[in-house]
Amino acid sequence: MSDNGIDNVIESGLEQREGNAIRDAFWLDDDIAYLNHGSYGAVPRRVSTAADAWRMRMERQPVLFFQETLPGALRDAAAALAPFLGIAADDMVFVENATSGANAVLRSLRLGPGDTIVGTDHGYGAVRNAARHVAAAAGAALVEAKLPFPGTTPDAVVRAIDAAIDGRTRLVVVDHVTSPTALVLPVAEIAALCRRRGVPLLVDGAHAPGMLDLDIAAVGADWYVGNPHKWLFAARGCAVLWASPDARGDLHPTVVSHGYGGGYLAEFDWTGTRDCSPYLAVDAALDFYRSLGPARLRARNIALAAEGARIVASAWGTEVLTPPGMAGSMALVTLPFDVDATREAARAVRTRIWHEHRVEVPVMAFGGRCHVRVSAQIYNEPADYRRLARIFAR
Ligand SMILES: Cc1ncc(COP(=O)(O)O)c(C=O)c1O
């Protein structure tokens, strides 16, 4: 962190605790090393309390809540969140999770036989499945660009996607931060490519809100989905689907309900009776995030993920596979022993690490090897990575 950054923190009286010292702001068990913020986030106590308060309010008079309070409260929550993401509130809707937002876009496509959806081999499994499903139903296909890995560079990513697009391509879908490999992809450059090639782009930014300095509108995509319930500390079940004004005509939620035909906001804001408290409590998540100093927090987490990965890789005699120029607050380190590069084998290693050592870290099978993907969030400190490093130290 720059000296200037520290001055700003002191002057504005921001929360300065971190590592073990801030663990009491979360519900996490005391004795564990939690190195997987990436999968499901970890909700601060004050954010769950705010969501609980909304739930209680709903129960005091459900009809009043759903018919009179909720519509305005939902839009107020969008208005609080949107500027944080570089977008206008009327251009975003809440969805339960990134998978659901990506499904809405994919299932709204009008594909024909022979058409293609272009993705990458680093895409998130659930979204790949959704793309395969809509493609199969139309006689179309998912084509996956193979990104060079390891040794990935932003230019090579753009070139690989360019090579996969042809006259049959109806959509490109890429992750902003890849799940199996923790790479931050050059989404603005990919968007520029897609515009040149005349193909719409869906960015799956599940990890980006809170991890990166995010300006969704500036990316230049057609649709963008993100999960405030990961790195922005929102209560679980809080995701965002942004659609550019030109990309809404045919866009519908996966659940079509009363709002059908009423336009983007009407269709997505009501998809049936549901618990919207994770959306409504988003201001509590934003307050918590702000209290940590957003720029300082992001820089700290990115630096700690890199440092943590170095600690682990040097103890194991293996490599950090996340190149510094494409890294966020997660990093991939190869395991120091041979194990089948299958999902089942990877799961078995994760289970062993957790049950024998109380260290939670995801194990990813990718590129013929298994790797751990370490995360860094405000409650982590170097000791957490040393604890993981010791398990297989050489
Ligand atoms: C790139 C990517 N997309 C989508 C998801 C799914 O998020 P959710 O379970 O909130 O739908 C994840 C989860 O880690 C992810 O990494």
Side-chain angles (χ1 to χ4, degrees), residues 74 81 208 268 294 328 339:
L74 210 47
L81 176 60
F268 280 87
V339 54

Side-chain angles (χ1 to χ4, degrees), residues 38-40 96-100 122-124 126-127 175-180 204-207 225 227 229-230 239 330 373:
S39 285
Y40 310 108
E96 282 76 8
N97 49 56
T99 309
S100 157
H122 295 233
Y124 185 69
V127 175
D175 297 358
H176 199 161
V177 183
T178 62
S179 170
D204 174 357
H207 288 276
V225 294
N227 272 340
H229 67 213
K230 288 188 189 285
M330 302 190 293
R373 187 191 72 187

Side-chain angles (χ1 to χ4, degrees), residues 121-305:
D121 60 340
H122 295 233
Y124 185 69
V127 175
R128 292 164 90 178
N129 282 345
R132 282 190 194 107
H133 174 68
V134 298
L142 171 66
V143 172
E144 293 189 328
K146 191 167 165 44
L147 309 184
F149 186 82
T152 323
T153 64
D155 284 352
V157 170
V158 176
R159 278 198 303 274
I161 294 168
D162 193 19
I165 297 174
D166 64 21
R168 299 167 301 173
T169 309
R170 299 289 164 261
L171 176 77
V172 171
V173 51
V174 291
D175 297 358
H176 199 161
V177 183
T178 62
S179 170
T181 46
L183 297 171
V184 179
L185 297 187
V187 286
E189 287 75 6
I190 296 168
L193 163 72
C194 289
R195 278 197 303 279
R196 274 199 310 280
R197 303 289 307 264
V199 180
L201 173 66
L202 163 62
V203 176
D204 174 357
H207 288 276
M211 180 197 282
L212 306 176
D213 186 9
L214 184 60
D215 184 339
I216 291 177
V219 169
D222 295 85
W223 304 277
Y224 190 106
V225 294
N227 272 340
H229 67 213
K230 288 188 189 285
W231 297 89
L232 207 47
F233 299 119
R236 222 162 272 110
C238 180
V240 164
L241 167 61
W242 173 86
S244 86
D246 297 335
R248 289 180 204 159
D250 289 329
L251 180 64
H252 304 286
T254 44
V255 175
V256 171
S257 184
H258 292 301
Y260 184 60
Y264 176 54
L265 300 186
E267 292 204 19
F268 280 87
D269 279 4
W270 184 266
T271 58
T273 308
R274 57 182 171 161
D275 179 3
C276 289
S277 56
Y279 312 146
L280 303 177
V282 78
D283 56 343
L286 296 173
D287 283 350
F288 185 77
Y289 186 79
R290 264 193 217 102
S291 77
L292 300 170
R296 163 186 177 260
L297 173 69
R298 290 190 296 264
R300 172 201 184 269
N301 288 347
I302 290 170
L304 182 59

